[in-house]
Structure formats: structure tokens, C-alpha cells
Amino acid sequence: MILRPVRGANEARVHALRNTKRGFFRGVDRGLALSFILLMLVGIVTLYAASYYNAQDNGGALSEVTSQLFGVAVGLAGMLLALRIDYRMLAKPWVCGGFLAVSFVMLGLVAVPGIGKLLNGSRRWLRLGPVSFQPSELAKYAMIVYLARALSQKHRDVTRLFAGLVPLFILPGAMFLLILMQPNLSTAGSILIVTAVLSMIAGARWRHLGLIGAAGLAVGAFYALSEDYRRARLMSFRDPFAFMTNEGYQLSQSLLAFGSGGLFGMGIGQGRQKFAFLPYPESDFIFAVVGEDVGWVGCVAVLMLFMAFLFFGLRVAMRCEDRFGSLLAGGITCMIGVQTVLNVAVVIGMMPTTGLPLPFFSAGGTSISIVMAAVGIVMNISRDEE
């Protein structure tokens, strides 16, 4: 990727005025918009197929979808706002620093008993009245804004290990540790992965990134082996059917779902694993429902949709002549891509089981609304190609 220098403030004002005159969605990359819309539609249909059975205990078969649509409505408002403003405003110190400070404060509050909501052994949520909010979802994208701003500054030399690259990892490392305390290794790890990718795009040397990556793997290995239940989960991932009575149960049921689906699937909504066999089919393991309902062919089609979205998002990043915009679009797209890869790898048994939602598919109002707002920023940046 070739990154170009930042353009002047006058052009930023012209950019904002041009957006106002031509409407919200005019000038947006069509491939990006189409792939996004298709992912949203397929995601809602899949969520209904995955949740209608368990949702009947919570007020009706559509209760999970209704909650998701509320998140979509909030996300649409965020997307329209992201399309309305000049994305370069995010590079202002008070905006970037404000988002980052709010993210760290909320991540800290999650760890406080009585404030952070404890669910299934993890403390990842804050409750705001009747609404539960997961601060790590916002923190991921706040960190991307910070990284895009930091790497677009002229004095930042990431080719130097201790003077340029290591200081860049201090704040992502601190956020990694806060999210790890919840515990949420997959989300914490995705932040470091995207930090490394953006550093590489900005010109960091491979051997320096390799050293930092080795240190990160050492921390992850220590974390995974430091508790009995984590060691058990790690062992179960290698042979889940040997641990079906405890840690390997969820992954075993997921693999059975893929096996039942075969090549073409059992039909949308016809899969049986969602009937109280597969835990959380509407969230972390929703891709297993895809495999059982529409089979291998359907899984490939969904992954191709994700690949198309990532292609168009990265194309926006490569075409943008503004260095900050290029890094911002690339970071948002990479975060969605990394999260997709990690989720699918867990569900098909290539990684230990962790709680990471599949973008656009998994139930969760916080996740879908923030992802939609982030995609709105990428769409805004795509207008800058003209």
C-alpha cells in the first residue's frame, strides 16, 4: 500500500461542503456499499434461523431479531453521522484523545464489582439502565483512530524499534491488558494484531514486528496456561470429543452441526443443533448454524461476501490520497477481517474456544451498531477518491 501525504485544511472544508450538497450516500464506493448491505441482510436472516427456538423463552421467536434491529437502528444513525462529518475531524487531538480516554475509563469500570456486569464467568459489560454495553467494542475502533493519527504524523519513524515502534505499542498494550482482565483474549489479541498490521503498512520492519509478536505470543501462552480452566479449554480444542462432558462440549456440537449440514445443508432454519444442543448459537457460534442450515456451499458464499467487503474496504484505503484516511480505512477493514477470521477459526476447531462475535451476524446491539458506524467512516473516506 502506498501512503500519500496529508492534504491541507482548506480541502477538508471543501470535502465537508461537497458531502452536504450531494447527500449522505452519493459518491460512496458501490462495491463496499453492496457487500455491506448483503452481509447485513444475510446476517439478520441467519440470526433469526439461529435464535427463534431459544428466543421463545424470552418473549417470542422474534425477540432476538427485534433487539438486533434496535442495534441496527442505532448503527444506522451512527453511520449517517459518520457520512455527514469530515472524517479528518477524528484526527484532531481532542477528538482522538477523547475517544481513547472514554474507552480506557469504561474498560476500567468494567473491572469494578457492582459496576461491571458478570455473565458466564466474564465481566465484559456495563449496564446503562435497561441497556448492556460492551466497552471493548468501542475501544477497538478508538484505538484504530489513535493509531491512524499517530502513524500519519511526519515525525513518527516506525523503522526504529525503540524510538518509533515500541512507544506505538504502549497504549494498545495497556488496552490489551485491561481487556484481558475481563477475560477476553480474542478481542484483546485482535487489537495487537491490527496494531501490527497498521505498523507494517506504515513501513515497520519485519524483524522488529517479529520480536514484538514473539513477546505477545509469550504473554498469551502464559495467560492460557496460568489457570486450570484455560489449560483445559486449550486441550479440548485439540480433541473436543474427548472432553464432551465439559470444556469440549460446545466445539463438539459445532463440528456436529457442520457434519450434519454436509454440502448443501438441511435448509434455512431446519438445523437441529440450535435446539438446545449447541450453546449460544445466536452469538459466538452462529457460523455453525450457517454450516448446518446451508452447508459447505453456503459457508463458502458467506465467506466470499466477507472477502468482497474486505477487498473493497482495502481498495478504499489504497486509493485514498490522505495518509490518515488511508490508515483509518485500512485499520477498520482489518479489524473486521481479523475478527471474522478468528471467529470462524474457533467455530471450525482451528483455535481454542473464545468469545468473539462474527461481524454483521452475531447477536449484540453494541457490536452491530459500532461496526455500522465504523463502516460509515470507511464509506465517507471512499468519497475522497473522487
Side-chain angles (χ1 to χ4, degrees):
M1 182 183 297
I2 299 174
L3 299 176
R4 299 177 176 87
V6 180
R7 291 177 289 180
N10 288 335
E11 189 168 346
R13 287 192 290 269
V14 173
H15 172 89
L17 180 61
R18 186 175 62 202
N19 286 350
T20 303
K21 288 183 176 180
R22 64 185 176 186
F24 285 117
F25 292 102
R26 291 184 182 179
V28 169
D29 185 281
R30 293 181 180 178
L32 180 68
L34 179 61
S35 58
F36 164 74
I37 292 171
L38 289 175
L39 282 170
M40 289 290 296
L41 292 175
V42 175
I44 292 294
V45 172
T46 304
L47 178 59
Y48 173 72
S51 66
Y52 73 86
Y53 178 78
N54 291 333
Q56 296 177 61
D57 296 331
N58 298 318
L62 287 171
S63 62
E64 201 69 60
V65 173
T66 302
S67 176
Q68 188 81 342
L69 289 176
F70 176 77
V72 170
V74 175
L76 182 60
M79 177 176 282
L80 293 175
L81 178 63
L83 285 165
R84 178 67 177 80
I85 66 174
D86 179 9
Y87 69 85
R88 295 178 186 85
M89 287 184 61
L90 296 173
K92 295 182 179 296
W94 65 272
V95 177
C96 176
F99 276 128
L100 208 57
V102 169
S103 298
F104 273 107
V105 169
M106 289 195 298
L107 289 174
L109 289 175
V110 167
V112 178
I115 298 179
K117 180 182 176 183
L118 184 64
L119 183 64
N120 299 322
S122 298
R123 198 181 298 275
R124 303 177 183 177
W125 292 266
L126 288 176
R127 180 172 290 280
L128 304 175
V131 179
S132 292
F133 177 75
Q134 195 166 352
S136 60
E137 292 295 326
L138 175 63
K140 291 186 298 187
Y141 295 100
M143 185 56 65
I144 289 172
V145 174
Y146 160 76
L147 291 169
R149 181 180 184 276
L151 289 169
S152 62
Q153 293 175 334
K154 293 181 179 179
H155 68 270
R156 176 74 63 174
D157 184 7
V158 291
T159 61
R160 302 173 65 185
L161 178 59
F162 294 105
L165 192 59
V166 171
L168 184 71
F169 275 80
I170 292 177
L171 287 180
M175 186 171 286
F176 170 86
L177 293 175
L178 280 174
I179 297 176
L180 197 63
M181 290 168 57
Q182 296 179 358
N184 193 347
L185 179 59
S186 52
T187 299
S190 65
I191 290 174
L192 292 186
I193 292 171
V194 173
T195 302
V197 171
L198 286 179
S199 301
M200 180 186 65
I201 292 172
R205 296 178 179 177
W206 282 93
R207 64 176 182 271
H208 293 165
L209 290 173
L211 288 172
I212 294 176
L217 287 175
V219 172
F222 173 79
Y223 173 80
L225 300 174
S226 61
E227 295 285 349
D228 291 339
Y229 81 93
R230 294 177 193 142
R231 286 196 296 271
R233 179 172 290 186
L234 186 61
M235 295 296 291
S236 68
F237 130 78
R238 300 193 305 171
D239 185 9
F241 294 100
F243 299 87
M244 281 196 68
T245 58
N246 44 54
E247 293 293 342
Y249 178 80
Q250 189 174 26
L251 180 55
S252 298
Q253 297 300 326
S254 175
L255 296 177
L256 288 172
F258 284 107
S260 299
L263 188 60
F264 295 106
M266 302 177 67
I268 297 177
Q270 301 302 310
R272 294 186 291 267
Q273 289 302 113
K274 67 177 71 70
F275 299 148
F277 293 105
L278 176 65
Y280 307 111
E282 75 284 351
S283 55
D284 301 341
F285 276 71
I286 195 170
F287 193 68
V289 176
V290 176
E292 189 174 26
D293 283 3
V294 294
W296 181 85
V297 172
C299 289
V300 171
V302 168
L303 292 177
M304 288 181 67
L305 272 179
F306 274 106
M307 290 177 64
F309 176 83
L310 297 178
F311 169 80
F312 291 118
L314 292 175
R315 187 177 70 173
V316 169
M318 295 178 67
R319 288 180 173 179
C320 182
E321 296 183 357
D322 171 43
R323 184 179 178 89
F324 171 75
S326 180
L327 288 165
L328 184 58
I332 291 172
T333 304
C334 285
M335 179 58 76
I336 294 173
V338 167
Q339 190 168 329
T340 301
V341 170
L342 292 179
N343 177 275
V344 173
V346 166
V347 172
I348 64 177
M350 293 183 66
M351 285 181 58
T353 302
T354 59
L356 191 67
L358 182 64
F360 308 112
F361 280 70
S362 294
T366 303
S367 176
I368 192 66
S369 59
I370 293 178
V371 167
M372 287 180 66
V375 172
I377 294 173
V378 181
M379 290 181 176
N380 191 336
I381 295 170
S382 72
R383 290 170 164 172
D384 213 36
E385 300 168 7
E386 297 181 359

